[in-house]
């Protein structure tokens, strides 16, 4: 049987290639995710070592709530005076809030690698940068790493506008720097400023930390002990700790990318399982007579099953090897894909670890063996005499067992999804239950779908029957002739389109909620917010708007953490006296204008119910500045997008406790009689001084947020599209094998007068019907999953189901067209069959 198995593989090279290709797809995406993640981890690990290479010790504030997160500037001199300290330098850095504008008037995009500003350190022992051109930065100047300068068009000696949290400044690029010997920035833009100027630009009085280089022979432990006593609430860490912490910070982001990639690799693997299963079913179906002959000459069912599984083992092993090589290529493709959607990944080495190869082998061999079990058992159960007749087929479409198992899996899967959406709380448990539930639903629906495959393909095929004549009628009959094969082939496409339809439904529901909330709640004429990563902008912006005669009211909104009942909560502050005229918060009890309370507080109805808070109650809060306040509840409001935090304080309290002074966004109303054109002219000078602030009408703000949502959904759907492509390849694979299986049938059709063109059209239309069937099931499941997700999301995000009908219809049409494209190769082969050879097959 072993020799026979090997001969069978060698004698059917095309079948072997098609089966192997399905497995290669599954392996390559898993390998690609590991290769990318390991490469990024290696690159950032090396970067972490370079960042702290010159620092022996570092003094920094203890990260405790209520303690200052900056060191007093006087600490630097105290550290420099310690015996054993060869050099000490202040560390000041700011990420993504210092943005230079090049000569073409373009900001460096914040999507992708970060922009980081550093205070310049002149001592080479502690400096992370080496000057390679020009001079050190002084007040009114800055330097930039040489690769960023070249990539973005910055020239030494030229003056450039720089956007800062405190406004726009004009600075001269005094020099170019290198981060380490090879400027390994991993794509980040690194800038250096005079320390005092950087502090002024970010409105920061103090240092993030003080870095120390020890003198030769100094006792590290003794110096660290003395440093710890220089200032209260500080700690001293060594180089190893700094390196470990830096790697951990980088790894958080890398783990997110890795988990996303593994998630989509898992999706691709799941889709590929259906393709592999279907491929084995078709191949073994084509060999029914061959297997029956083996039974008649003495082979028992167990031997046949072992023979088939041995074939699967060989195919899995070969596919794993090919998949490992292909996975490296896919990794480069995924890197380009991330760049295309605006999430550029830094360069990293190709690392093919032993772990990756073992996982690849386990996936390739394991999935292939698992997918071959059911077809092997089915083939071995066909009676020898029955199998020797043409058209013999095992199994039954309406098998009670199949229906029972499929129905049970669907119900259990839906119940598991419900647990994940409504019961589970930890992120890991939510993801696990949703994944398991989705797998159960997809497998269950696939097992049940043959029941509806014939009527649905007949329904979809009716227009083809009417418009394309004989080819359409035969395509319709072929798609419905083997409902189980049609359902299994369409299952892979169903999974991908279900996820696309779900994301579209959730996204459209979120946007509908946003539009509805702003239409009903926002009375302000304009909303101003930060254009970058939602960092705060200076309070002077609100003052500048308030001074304009064209504005009537200007309300600032600020965010900060506060301790409430021993728990850190994010709280928001605004001028409560303005809320009634600028917003409709849906106040249920009390109101913003109730009484003359010293420290007023408004609470969302959800928080009020959860914490049993009523109007007149006192809520104690502790702030990061160390201040404590007892706030009196003056109103209970509905929880919505406008006030998306449970606690709303007055700015008078905010300023009294010394909380963050920067605004996150503003609400503005125009003075009576002021037109939009007049307002735009009045706002233009402020926009020039503070270009990081964007002013929109309520409608414009909605459009901007919707564009952000669409961009996020597009990134998800681009990744899901990979699974859809795999599914379409599966359709092409199935049709190619089907052409082999139906060689005699196709030859007879040609013999009785069907033209090559009609035959090719029949194959293509059959593929389109299978794709439409999968699309219909996928869209139905996707809308169902989307509805469940909308129910599970907080009411502040969305509470109304909105189905993007037009987009979904386009999705179904595209799926049908893609089916036509997928059938191009099999259709060409069918059209080239020699009639006499086909009939004799």
């Amino acid at each position: 049987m072993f020799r026979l198995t090997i001969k069978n593989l060698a004698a059917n090279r095309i079948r072997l290639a098609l089966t192997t290709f399905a497995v290669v797809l599954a392996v390559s995406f898993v390998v690609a995710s590991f290769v990318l993640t390991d490469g990024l981890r290696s690159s950032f690990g090396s970067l972490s070592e370079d960042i702290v290479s010159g620092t022996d010790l570092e003094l920094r504030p203890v990260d405790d709530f209520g303690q200052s997160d900056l060191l007093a500037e006087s600490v630097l001199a105290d550290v420099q005076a310690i015996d054993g300290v060869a050099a000490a330098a202040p560390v000041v850095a700011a990420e993504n809030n210092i943005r230079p504008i090049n000569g073409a008037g373009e900001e460096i995009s914040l999507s992708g690698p970060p922009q980081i500003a550093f205070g310049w350190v002149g001592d080479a022992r502690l400096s992370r940068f080496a000057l390679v051109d020009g001079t050190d930065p002084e007040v009114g100047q800055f330097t930039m790493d040489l690769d960023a300068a070249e990539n973005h068009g910055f020239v030494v000696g030229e003056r450039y506008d720089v956007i800062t949290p405190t406004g726009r400044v004009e600075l001269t690029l005094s020099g170019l720097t290198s981060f380490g010997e090879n400027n390994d920035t991993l794509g980040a833009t690194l800038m250096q400023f005079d320390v005092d100027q950087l502090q002024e630009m970010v409105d920061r009085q103090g240092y993030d930390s003080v870095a120390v280089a020890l003198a030769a022979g100094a006792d590290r432990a003794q110096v660290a002990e003395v440093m710890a006593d220089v200032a209260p609430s500080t700690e001293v860490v060594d180089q190893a700790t700094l390196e470990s912490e830096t790697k951990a910070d980088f790894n958080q982001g890398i783990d997110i990318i890795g988990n996303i990639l593994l998630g989509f690799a898992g999706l691709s693997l799941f889709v590929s399982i259906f393709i592999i299963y279907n491929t084995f079913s078709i191949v073994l179906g084509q060999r029914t007579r061959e297997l029956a002959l083996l039974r008649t000459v003495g082979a028992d069912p167990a031997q046949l099953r072992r023979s088939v599984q041995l074939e699967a083992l060989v195919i899995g092993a070969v596919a794993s090897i090919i998949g490992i090589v292909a996975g490296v290529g896919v990794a480069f493709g995924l890197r380009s894909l991330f760049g295309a959607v605006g999430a550029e990944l830094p360069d990293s080495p190709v690392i093919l670890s032993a772990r990756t190869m073992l996982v690849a082998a386990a996936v390739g061999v394991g999935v292939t063996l698992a997918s071959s079990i059911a077809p092997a058992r089915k083939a071995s159960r066909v009676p020898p005499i029955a199998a020797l007749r043409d058209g013999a087929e095992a199994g039954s479409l309406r098998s009670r067992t199949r229906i029972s198992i499929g129905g049970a899996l669907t119900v259990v899967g839906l119940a598991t999804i419900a647990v994940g959406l409504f019961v589970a709380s930890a992120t890991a448990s939510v993801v696990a239950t949703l994944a398991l539930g989705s797998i159960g639903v997809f497998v269950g629906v696939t097992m049940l779908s043959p029941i509806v495959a014939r009527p649905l393909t007949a329904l979809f095929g009716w227009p083809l029957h009417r418009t394309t004549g004989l080819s359409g009628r035969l395509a319709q009959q072929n798609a419905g002739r083997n409902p189980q094969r049609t359902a299994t082939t369409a299952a892979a496409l169903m999974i991908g389109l279900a996820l696309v339809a779900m994301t579209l439904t959730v996204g459209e529901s979120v946007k509908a909620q946003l539009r509805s909330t702003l239409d009903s709640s926002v009375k302000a004429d304009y909303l101003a917010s930060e254009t970058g990563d939602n960092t705060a902008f200076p309070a002077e912006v609100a003052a500048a708007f308030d001074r304009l005669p064209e504005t009537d009211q200007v309300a600032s909104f600020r965010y900060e953490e506060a301790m409430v009942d021993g728990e850190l909560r994010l709280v928001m502050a605004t001028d409560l006296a303005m809320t009634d005229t600028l917003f409709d918060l849906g106040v249920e009890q009390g109101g913003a204008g109730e009484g003359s309370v010293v420290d007023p507080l408004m609470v969302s109805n959800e928080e009020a119910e959860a914490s049993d808070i009523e109007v007149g109650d006192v809520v104690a809060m502790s702030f990061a500045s160390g201040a404590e306040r007892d706030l009196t509840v003056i109103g209970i409001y509905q929880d919505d997008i406008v006030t998306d935090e449970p606690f709303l304080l007055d700015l008078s309290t905010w300023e009294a406790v010394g909380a963050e002074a920067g605004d996150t966004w503003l609400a503005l109303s125009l003075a009576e009689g002021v037109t939009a054109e007049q307002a735009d002219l009045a706002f233009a000078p402020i926009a020039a001084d503070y270009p990081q602030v964007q002013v929109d009408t309520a409608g414009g703000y909605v459009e901007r947020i919707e564009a952000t949502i669409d961009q996020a959904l597009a990134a998800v759907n681009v990744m899901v599209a990979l699974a859809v492509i795999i599914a379409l390849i599966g359709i092409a694979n199935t049709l190619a094998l089907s052409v082999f299986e139906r060689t005699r049938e196709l030859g007879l059709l040609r013999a009785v007068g069907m033209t090559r063109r009609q035959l090719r059209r029949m194959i293509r239309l059959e593929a389109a019907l299978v794709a439409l069937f999968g699309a219909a099931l996928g869209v139905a499941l996707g809308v169902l999953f989307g509805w469940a997700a909308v129910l599970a999301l907080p009411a502040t995000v969305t509470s109304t189901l909105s189905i993007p009908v037009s987009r979904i219809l386009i999705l179904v049409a595209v799926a049908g067209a893609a089916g036509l494209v997928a059938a191009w190769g099999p259709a060409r082969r069918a059209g080239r069959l020699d009639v006499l050879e086909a009939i004799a097959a």
Side-chain angles (χ1 to χ4, degrees), residues 160 309 311:
Y160 298 98
Q309 288 170 351
E311 288 186 32

Side-chain angles (χ1 to χ4, degrees), residues 58-63 227-228 231-237 245:
E58 185 173 280
L59 178 70
R60 64 189 185 188
V62 176
D63 187 17
M227 283 176 62
S233 302
T234 58
E235 62 179 353
V236 179
V237 291
E245 291 176 347

Side-chain angles (χ1 to χ4, degrees), residues 431-656:
V431 172
T433 51
L434 290 180
L436 289 174
S438 299
I439 291 172
V441 170
F442 285 131
V443 175
V445 170
T446 300
M447 296 183 72
L448 295 174
S449 57
I451 299 172
V452 296
R454 185 174 287 122
L456 280 182
T457 52
L459 175 65
F460 295 144
W462 182 81
L464 300 179
H465 181 191
R466 304 289 295 179
T467 57
T468 59
L470 177 64
S471 297
R473 184 166 65 252
L474 289 176
Q476 179 188 34
Q477 293 172 357
N478 287 336
R481 184 169 57 181
N482 193 331
Q484 183 172 332
R485 178 185 300 177
T486 297
T488 308
T489 304
L493 185 61
M494 171 189 72
I495 296 168
L497 294 186
L499 295 177
V500 174
M502 181 186 73
T503 56
L504 289 176
T505 300
V506 173
E508 188 63 30
S509 299
V510 171
K511 290 190 291 185
Q513 175 79 4
L514 177 66
R515 289 191 294 267
S516 174
T517 299
L518 290 179
D519 288 344
S520 61
S521 301
V522 176
K523 300 177 184 177
D525 298 307
Y526 288 87
L527 300 173
S529 57
E530 219 272 356
T531 58
D533 57 353
N534 209 32
T535 54
F537 48 82
E540 287 80 4
V541 177
F545 280 114
D546 198 31
R547 287 192 296 267
L548 296 174
E550 288 81 3
T551 59
D552 179 27
Q553 290 185 318
V554 179
S556 301
F557 287 82
R558 302 173 182 176
Y559 295 81
E560 189 171 275
E561 286 184 331
M563 190 73 71
V564 183
D565 290 333
E567 181 182 357
L568 272 180
R569 307 291 297 274
L570 195 62
V571 299
M572 183 169 61
T574 189
D575 188 339
L576 293 181
M578 296 184 186
T579 53
D580 287 341
T581 56
L582 293 174
F583 302 101
D584 180 4
L585 302 182
V587 177
E588 297 179 348
Q589 300 177 37
E594 298 289 323
S596 55
V597 178
V598 174
D599 289 317
L601 175 68
M602 295 189 69
V603 182
S604 70
N605 56 359
E606 184 177 328
E607 179 66 27
E609 291 176 6
S611 302
D612 195 21
I613 296 175
E614 297 180 352
V615 172
D617 288 351
V618 173
V619 177
M621 288 189 185
S622 302
F623 296 87
S625 62
E628 298 180 357
R629 280 291 191 279
D630 290 333
L631 293 87
T632 303
V633 178
I634 62 170
I636 308 293
Y637 60 86
Q638 291 181 1
D639 215 354
D640 60 19
I641 292 178
V642 176
T643 52
D644 55 351
E645 303 304 334
F647 299 104
L648 184 58
L649 288 62
D650 190 75
L651 284 180
S652 59
T653 302
W654 198 262
E655 292 167 355

Side-chain angles (χ1 to χ4, degrees), residues 716-785:
V716 173
N717 284 335
V718 164
M719 297 297 292
V720 174
L722 297 175
V724 175
I725 292 171
I726 294 174
L728 292 172
I729 292 173
I731 292 176
N733 203 17
T734 299
L735 286 173
L737 290 169
S738 179
V739 168
F740 277 103
E741 180 183 18
R742 292 152 53 191
T743 297
R744 182 181 298 179
E745 172 193 326
L746 298 176
L748 287 172
L749 288 174
R750 290 276 291 114
V752 297
M754 180 175 257
T755 66
R756 295 181 186 275
R757 182 178 181 183
Q758 287 175 316
L759 189 63
R760 289 194 298 267
R761 182 186 299 167
M762 180 190 74
I763 299 294
R764 289 195 295 266
L765 292 178
E766 182 181 344
L769 287 176
V770 173
L772 287 173
F773 175 66
L777 292 180
V779 164
L781 283 177
V783 172
L784 176 64
F785 289 165

